[in-house]
């Protein structure tokens, strides 16, 4: 069943520099993220809520509270590739992609190029302001909606990606082996 009754405006929400690279998809296990994505696609009837194109992306929605400096997960929506491009505008690397994002914003929202540029100016100002502070992530919305392992919850609470955690564990094992080899002392 499609839970979207009418198109929602498409906006650019830039991730602050201080939390960039800390994606839910990298902090959860692959199975957890795949389960969430498939559930989100089904809830949106595989339809983008912004432009009604087929949805094949999961876009994580955050609220940033400047007073508390808490970045709160408020939901996950399904989007099409084009709306995903706009949502992740800061990842745009070239003029052609930039033009595609502008065109899609104009088409989807019925905006002029001047309105798109005004929106982007506002988004960039908000990005700079949010990037000036450190954020605490609150992803507890997930616990109420999905079965998340304790290990993934711990990673989310610490703001650590699964790959980083595996790398840290490998490095710790390597250091322990080296300590045992050089000193004969077992760190455990």
């Amino acid at each position: 069943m499609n839970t979207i009754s009418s198109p929602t405006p498409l906006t650019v929400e830039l991730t602050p520099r201080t939390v960039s690279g800390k994606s839910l998809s990298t902090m959860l296990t692959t199975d957890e993220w795949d389960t969430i994505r498939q559930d989100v696609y089904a809830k949106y009837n595989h339809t983008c809520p912004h432009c009604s194109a087929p949805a094949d992306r999961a876009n994580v929605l955050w609220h940033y509270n400047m007073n508390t400096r808490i970045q709160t997960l408020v939901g996950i929506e399904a989007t099409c590739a084009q709306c995903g491009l706009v949502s992740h505008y800061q990842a745009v690397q070239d003029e052609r992609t930039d033009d595609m994002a502008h065109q899609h914003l104009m088409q989807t929202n019925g905006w002029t190029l001047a309105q798109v540029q005004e929106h982007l100016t506002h988004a960039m100002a908000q990005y700079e302001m949010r990037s000036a502070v450190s954020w605490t992530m609150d992803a507890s919305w997930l616990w109420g909606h999905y079965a998340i392992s304790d290990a993934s919850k711990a990673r989310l609470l610490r703001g650590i990606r699964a790959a980083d955690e595996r790398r840290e564990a490998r490095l710790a094992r390597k250091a322990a082996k080296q300590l045992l080899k050089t000193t004969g002392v077992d760190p455990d």
Side-chain angles (χ1 to χ4, degrees):
M1 178 178 105
N2 186 351
T3 59
I4 306 303
S5 57
S6 63
T8 31
L10 179 60
T11 58
V12 172
E13 293 292 332
L14 302 175
T15 304
R17 268 187 301 275
T18 50
V19 295
S20 185
K22 295 181 179 180
S23 166
L24 281 186
S25 65
T26 64
M27 293 183 185
L28 300 172
T29 66
T30 301
D31 288 343
E32 287 169 337
W33 183 243
D34 285 344
T35 298
I36 291 168
R37 283 186 317 108
Q38 294 307 317
D39 180 65
V40 168
Y41 298 157
K43 283 181 181 172
Y44 281 81
N45 198 28
H46 296 268
T47 304
C48 181
H50 306 291
C51 69
S52 301
D56 60 357
R57 305 275 191 279
N59 185 36
V60 179
L61 306 171
W62 297 100
H63 170 75
Y64 296 90
N65 184 317
M66 287 297 292
N67 294 325
T68 62
R69 296 183 179 183
I70 296 176
Q71 167 197 12
T72 305
L73 176 64
V74 295
I76 304 172
E77 68 179 0
T79 65
C80 68
Q82 290 288 84
C83 288
L85 173 70
V86 171
S87 295
H88 298 282
Y89 187 82
Q90 69 207 82
V92 171
Q93 298 296 317
D94 58 52
E95 192 173 319
R96 180 179 164 273
T97 311
D98 190 59
D99 286 344
M100 287 174 29
H102 289 178
Q103 290 299 318
H104 196 65
L105 261 172
M106 290 189 302
Q107 179 182 352
T108 302
N109 291 344
W111 287 353
T112 64
L113 182 56
Q115 287 171 306
V116 167
Q117 290 169 334
E118 180 181 338
H119 176 69
L120 292 173
T121 298
H122 172 75
M124 284 304 296
Q126 193 173 54
Y127 166 77
E128 291 299 334
M129 184 174 65
R130 289 175 177 171
S131 292
V133 299
S134 294
W135 293 93
T136 298
M137 180 189 292
D138 174 2
S140 61
W141 177 89
L142 280 175
W143 327 159
H145 293 83
Y146 297 99
I148 304 298
S149 69
D150 289 341
S152 290
K153 286 179 186 177
R155 275 192 300 278
L156 287 163
L157 291 169
R158 293 187 337 261
I160 296 177
R161 298 179 302 176
D164 293 340
E165 187 175 63
R166 288 190 299 271
R167 187 185 78 239
E168 287 173 10
R170 273 193 317 274
L171 290 173
R173 284 191 303 272
K174 185 177 178 180
K177 284 180 185 178
Q178 184 64 30
L179 181 64
L180 182 60
K181 183 179 174 181
T182 58
T183 66
V185 176
D186 188 349
D188 293 325

PDB file of all heavy atoms in Angstrom, residues 13-30:
ATOM      1  N   GLU A  13      19.030  18.636   1.342  1.00  0.00           N
ATOM      2  CA  GLU A  13      19.384  18.576   2.759  1.00  0.00           C
ATOM      3  C   GLU A  13      20.829  18.125   2.841  1.00  0.00           C
ATOM      4  O   GLU A  13      21.119  16.941   2.707  1.00  0.00           O
ATOM      5  CB  GLU A  13      18.467  17.614   3.513  1.00  0.00           C
ATOM      6  CG  GLU A  13      17.027  18.057   3.603  1.00  0.00           C
ATOM      7  CD  GLU A  13      16.824  19.275   4.480  1.00  0.00           C
ATOM      8  OE1 GLU A  13      17.623  19.493   5.427  1.00  0.00           O
ATOM      9  OE2 GLU A  13      15.864  20.011   4.215  1.00  0.00           O
ATOM     10  N   LEU A  14      21.730  19.045   3.023  1.00  0.00           N
ATOM     11  CA  LEU A  14      23.159  18.731   3.037  1.00  0.00           C
ATOM     12  C   LEU A  14      23.596  18.194   4.395  1.00  0.00           C
ATOM     13  O   LEU A  14      23.239  18.747   5.431  1.00  0.00           O
ATOM     14  CB  LEU A  14      23.970  19.971   2.667  1.00  0.00           C
ATOM     15  CG  LEU A  14      23.632  20.586   1.307  1.00  0.00           C
ATOM     16  CD1 LEU A  14      24.398  21.881   1.100  1.00  0.00           C
ATOM     17  CD2 LEU A  14      23.922  19.601   0.187  1.00  0.00           C
ATOM     18  N   THR A  15      24.373  17.136   4.371  1.00  0.00           N
ATOM     19  CA  THR A  15      24.895  16.531   5.590  1.00  0.00           C
ATOM     20  C   THR A  15      26.081  17.353   6.081  1.00  0.00           C
ATOM     21  O   THR A  15      27.019  17.589   5.324  1.00  0.00           O
ATOM     22  CB  THR A  15      25.352  15.091   5.310  1.00  0.00           C
ATOM     23  OG1 THR A  15      24.257  14.365   4.764  1.00  0.00           O
ATOM     24  CG2 THR A  15      25.846  14.412   6.569  1.00  0.00           C
ATOM     25  N   PRO A  16      26.052  17.803   7.338  1.00  0.00           N
ATOM     26  CA  PRO A  16      27.183  18.585   7.859  1.00  0.00           C
ATOM     27  C   PRO A  16      28.507  17.840   7.721  1.00  0.00           C
ATOM     28  O   PRO A  16      28.547  16.610   7.831  1.00  0.00           O
ATOM     29  CB  PRO A  16      26.831  18.790   9.335  1.00  0.00           C
ATOM     30  CG  PRO A  16      25.357  18.597   9.404  1.00  0.00           C
ATOM     31  CD  PRO A  16      25.012  17.602   8.337  1.00  0.00           C
ATOM     32  N   ARG A  17      29.567  18.599   7.479  1.00  0.00           N
ATOM     33  CA  ARG A  17      30.912  18.012   7.371  1.00  0.00           C
ATOM     34  C   ARG A  17      31.246  17.147   8.570  1.00  0.00           C
ATOM     35  O   ARG A  17      31.906  16.118   8.442  1.00  0.00           O
ATOM     36  CB  ARG A  17      31.963  19.122   7.283  1.00  0.00           C
ATOM     37  CG  ARG A  17      32.340  19.560   5.913  1.00  0.00           C
ATOM     38  CD  ARG A  17      33.515  20.529   5.955  1.00  0.00           C
ATOM     39  NE  ARG A  17      33.272  21.731   6.734  1.00  0.00           N
ATOM     40  CZ  ARG A  17      32.673  22.828   6.269  1.00  0.00           C
ATOM     41  NH1 ARG A  17      32.251  22.872   5.040  1.00  0.00           N
ATOM     42  NH2 ARG A  17      32.492  23.874   7.044  1.00  0.00           N
ATOM     43  N   THR A  18      30.804  17.568   9.745  1.00  0.00           N
ATOM     44  CA  THR A  18      31.177  16.878  10.981  1.00  0.00           C
ATOM     45  C   THR A  18      30.515  15.509  11.130  1.00  0.00           C
ATOM     46  O   THR A  18      30.903  14.747  12.005  1.00  0.00           O
ATOM     47  CB  THR A  18      30.857  17.762  12.201  1.00  0.00           C
ATOM     48  OG1 THR A  18      29.501  18.239  12.088  1.00  0.00           O
ATOM     49  CG2 THR A  18      31.799  18.947  12.283  1.00  0.00           C
ATOM     50  N   VAL A  19      29.527  15.173  10.295  1.00  0.00           N
ATOM     51  CA  VAL A  19      28.914  13.838  10.333  1.00  0.00           C
ATOM     52  C   VAL A  19      28.980  13.143   8.979  1.00  0.00           C
ATOM     53  O   VAL A  19      28.516  12.017   8.833  1.00  0.00           O
ATOM     54  CB  VAL A  19      27.452  13.865  10.832  1.00  0.00           C
ATOM     55  CG1 VAL A  19      27.380  14.299  12.267  1.00  0.00           C
ATOM     56  CG2 VAL A  19      26.570  14.715   9.956  1.00  0.00           C
ATOM     57  N   SER A  20      29.571  13.789   8.002  1.00  0.00           N
ATOM     58  CA  SER A  20      29.665  13.218   6.664  1.00  0.00           C
ATOM     59  C   SER A  20      30.414  11.891   6.702  1.00  0.00           C
ATOM     60  O   SER A  20      31.406  11.749   7.410  1.00  0.00           O
ATOM     61  CB  SER A  20      30.396  14.199   5.743  1.00  0.00           C
ATOM     62  OG  SER A  20      30.389  13.720   4.428  1.00  0.00           O
ATOM     63  N   GLY A  21      29.911  10.912   5.967  1.00  0.00           N
ATOM     64  CA  GLY A  21      30.526   9.598   5.928  1.00  0.00           C
ATOM     65  C   GLY A  21      29.985   8.639   6.968  1.00  0.00           C
ATOM     66  O   GLY A  21      30.327   7.469   6.988  1.00  0.00           O
ATOM     67  N   LYS A  22      29.120   9.132   7.844  1.00  0.00           N
ATOM     68  CA  LYS A  22      28.525   8.279   8.872  1.00  0.00           C
ATOM     69  C   LYS A  22      27.092   7.940   8.462  1.00  0.00           C
ATOM     70  O   LYS A  22      26.131   8.392   9.053  1.00  0.00           O
ATOM     71  CB  LYS A  22      28.568   8.969  10.233  1.00  0.00           C
ATOM     72  CG  LYS A  22      29.973   9.173  10.740  1.00  0.00           C
ATOM     73  CD  LYS A  22      29.989   9.820  12.089  1.00  0.00           C
ATOM     74  CE  LYS A  22      31.423   9.984  12.574  1.00  0.00           C
ATOM     75  NZ  LYS A  22      31.479  10.612  13.884  1.00  0.00           N
ATOM     76  N   SER A  23      26.992   7.134   7.448  1.00  0.00           N
ATOM     77  CA  SER A  23      25.709   6.745   6.885  1.00  0.00           C
ATOM     78  C   SER A  23      25.144   5.545   7.626  1.00  0.00           C
ATOM     79  O   SER A  23      25.892   4.661   8.044  1.00  0.00           O
ATOM     80  CB  SER A  23      25.913   6.400   5.405  1.00  0.00           C
ATOM     81  OG  SER A  23      24.809   5.734   4.886  1.00  0.00           O
ATOM     82  N   LEU A  24      23.824   5.493   7.766  1.00  0.00           N
ATOM     83  CA  LEU A  24      23.205   4.330   8.390  1.00  0.00           C
ATOM     84  C   LEU A  24      23.601   3.054   7.663  1.00  0.00           C
ATOM     85  O   LEU A  24      23.843   2.024   8.289  1.00  0.00           O
ATOM     86  CB  LEU A  24      21.676   4.446   8.359  1.00  0.00           C
ATOM     87  CG  LEU A  24      21.013   5.326   9.388  1.00  0.00           C
ATOM     88  CD1 LEU A  24      19.507   5.184   9.284  1.00  0.00           C
ATOM     89  CD2 LEU A  24      21.462   5.012  10.789  1.00  0.00           C
ATOM     90  N   SER A  25      23.671   3.133   6.349  1.00  0.00           N
ATOM     91  CA  SER A  25      23.988   1.936   5.573  1.00  0.00           C
ATOM     92  C   SER A  25      25.378   1.388   5.892  1.00  0.00           C
ATOM     93  O   SER A  25      25.630   0.205   5.690  1.00  0.00           O
ATOM     94  CB  SER A  25      23.868   2.216   4.072  1.00  0.00           C
ATOM     95  OG  SER A  25      24.829   3.162   3.665  1.00  0.00           O
ATOM     96  N   THR A  26      26.271   2.215   6.414  1.00  0.00           N
ATOM     97  CA  THR A  26      27.614   1.749   6.767  1.00  0.00           C
ATOM     98  C   THR A  26      27.734   1.374   8.241  1.00  0.00           C
ATOM     99  O   THR A  26      28.735   0.776   8.628  1.00  0.00           O
ATOM    100  CB  THR A  26      28.682   2.810   6.437  1.00  0.00           C
ATOM    101  OG1 THR A  26      28.461   3.965   7.239  1.00  0.00           O
ATOM    102  CG2 THR A  26      28.660   3.180   4.968  1.00  0.00           C
ATOM    103  N   MET A  27      26.736   1.739   9.042  1.00  0.00           N
ATOM    104  CA  MET A  27      26.785   1.422  10.467  1.00  0.00           C
ATOM    105  C   MET A  27      25.982   0.179  10.813  1.00  0.00           C
ATOM    106  O   MET A  27      26.201  -0.435  11.851  1.00  0.00           O
ATOM    107  CB  MET A  27      26.288   2.611  11.279  1.00  0.00           C
ATOM    108  CG  MET A  27      27.196   3.802  11.203  1.00  0.00           C
ATOM    109  SD  MET A  27      26.549   5.109  12.255  1.00  0.00           S
ATOM    110  CE  MET A  27      27.675   6.408  11.888  1.00  0.00           C
ATOM    111  N   LEU A  28      25.047  -0.179   9.940  1.00  0.00           N
ATOM    112  CA  LEU A  28      24.251  -1.382  10.134  1.00  0.00           C
ATOM    113  C   LEU A  28      24.897  -2.536   9.374  1.00  0.00           C
ATOM    114  O   LEU A  28      25.737  -2.322   8.509  1.00  0.00           O
ATOM    115  CB  LEU A  28      22.828  -1.154   9.606  1.00  0.00           C
ATOM    116  CG  LEU A  28      22.039  -0.025  10.251  1.00  0.00           C
ATOM    117  CD1 LEU A  28      20.743   0.221   9.499  1.00  0.00           C
ATOM    118  CD2 LEU A  28      21.771  -0.325  11.714  1.00  0.00           C
ATOM    119  N   THR A  29      24.465  -3.748   9.680  1.00  0.00           N
ATOM    120  CA  THR A  29      24.937  -4.881   8.889  1.00  0.00           C
ATOM    121  C   THR A  29      24.279  -4.797   7.506  1.00  0.00           C
ATOM    122  O   THR A  29      23.237  -4.147   7.339  1.00  0.00           O
ATOM    123  CB  THR A  29      24.574  -6.228   9.535  1.00  0.00           C
ATOM    124  OG1 THR A  29      23.155  -6.381   9.518  1.00  0.00           O
ATOM    125  CG2 THR A  29      25.111  -6.325  10.965  1.00  0.00           C
ATOM    126  N   THR A  30      24.868  -5.458   6.546  1.00  0.00           N
ATOM    127  CA  THR A  30      24.301  -5.469   5.192  1.00  0.00           C
ATOM    128  C   THR A  30      22.889  -6.028   5.209  1.00  0.00           C
ATOM    129  O   THR A  30      21.986  -5.479   4.566  1.00  0.00           O
ATOM    130  CB  THR A  30      25.202  -6.301   4.245  1.00  0.00           C
ATOM    131  OG1 THR A  30      26.503  -5.725   4.248  1.00  0.00           O
ATOM    132  CG2 THR A  30      24.655  -6.329   2.837  1.00  0.00           C
TER     133      THR A  30
END
